[in-house]
Structure formats: structure tokens, C-alpha cells
Amino acid sequence: MTSRIGRVERVTKESKVLVEIDLDGTGTTEITTGVPFFDHMLDALGKHGAFDLTVQAEGDIQLDAHHTVEDVAIVLGQAIRQALGDKKGIRRFGDAWIPMDEALAQAVVDVSGRPYTVHTGEPDVMQGFVVGGHYPTVLNRH
């Protein structure tokens, strides 16, 4: 069986990011972005997705978490694309509804290669909300 592993590094003026992903892993994660809530969400993604995920990021978080979150998202997408390879033997798309406390989340993924995202559901009152004093919820769209 061909391994489905991706490893991508990206260095910009604002950040330095390394992502390694093994789609056939066990849910082992090692996440360090300097943004605690983002670390928590990436950890949950790897664990619940049952793939091994390493994310190491250094960014200008003393100014804002924006560049770090954005660049990690870019690199994560590139690593997943790399790990999928020619995509033989996998379904093109999938979806899930996930109940979490008082919320119901829906995720739909299409790996056809045409990039597009739709992010809905956060009420207007959340526009200025900050989780843990360091993660503005407006970053969720990234």
C-alpha cells in the first residue's frame, strides 16, 4: 500500500509553518502554533479524523493570530493535497453532522481539486468575540 503522507513547509515574513500529515495514522497529534485555542482545534481535527498530524508554527502572534492561522490553513491544505496523491481508491466527497454541546456542526469536503469554501452559522454578535483572550472568532473562516 502506498503511504498517504504529506509534508509541507512555508516561510513568509510573518510566519514559519511546518505541517506533516499521515492520513492512515491513528490520531496522534503534535500541535504548536502559539495560539492555544487554535492548537486545541487542530488537535481535535487530528484525533477525531484519525490521522496523525504535526503542526509547528511560529508567527507574529504578538501582533495578531491572523497570519499564523491563515498560513497554517494554507499549509494544511497543501499537505492534505500532497498526501492524497492521485486520489485513487478514495471517494471524491464526504459529509458529516456533528452534535457538540449546544451546537450542531456540518462539514462537507470535496477533494476534486477546485478550491472553495463556505463558512456560515456564526451570529453577528460573535464578530468581536475572542476565545481565551487570544483567538478572535473572525479567524474561523480561515
Side-chain angles (χ1 to χ4, degrees):
M1 178 176 161
T2 304
S3 65
R4 298 188 309 159
I5 296 172
R7 183 180 191 283
V8 177
E9 292 183 73
R10 173 183 167 102
V11 178
T12 68
K13 292 179 191 174
E14 297 86 14
S15 71
K16 178 180 177 184
V17 179
L18 166 69
V19 171
E20 295 177 339
I21 188 167
D22 181 350
L23 298 178
D24 301 305
T26 61
T28 301
T29 64
E30 184 181 326
I31 313 295
T32 315
T33 69
V35 183
F37 181 71
F38 191 42
D39 289 357
H40 168 71
M41 296 306 289
L42 290 168
D43 180 65
L45 178 68
K47 284 187 184 347
H48 294 296
F51 48 80
D52 295 346
L53 180 63
T54 298
V55 177
Q56 297 172 352
E58 297 174 19
D60 56 0
I61 58 173
Q62 73 281 4
L63 300 175
D64 186 76
H66 171 87
H67 292 128
T68 300
V69 171
E70 182 176 52
D71 290 350
V72 167
I74 290 168
V75 176
L76 178 58
Q78 291 171 336
I80 291 169
R81 182 182 333 143
Q82 186 182 87
L84 288 172
D86 62 12
K87 303 177 193 171
K88 285 186 180 177
I90 65 167
R91 295 177 187 260
R92 179 184 142 183
F93 53 85
D95 72 306
W97 288 89
I98 301 99
M100 301 182 305
D101 299 326
E102 295 86 28
L104 180 62
Q106 179 186 25
V108 180
V109 177
D110 181 345
V111 294
S112 65
R114 294 182 296 271
Y116 191 79
T117 187
V118 175
H119 180 274
T120 61
E122 286 183 306
D124 289 339
V125 299
M126 295 288 288
Q127 290 300 311
F129 189 72
V130 177
V131 177
H134 50 73
Y135 187 90
T137 59
V138 296
L139 294 180
N140 290 341
R141 291 184 187 271
H142 292 292

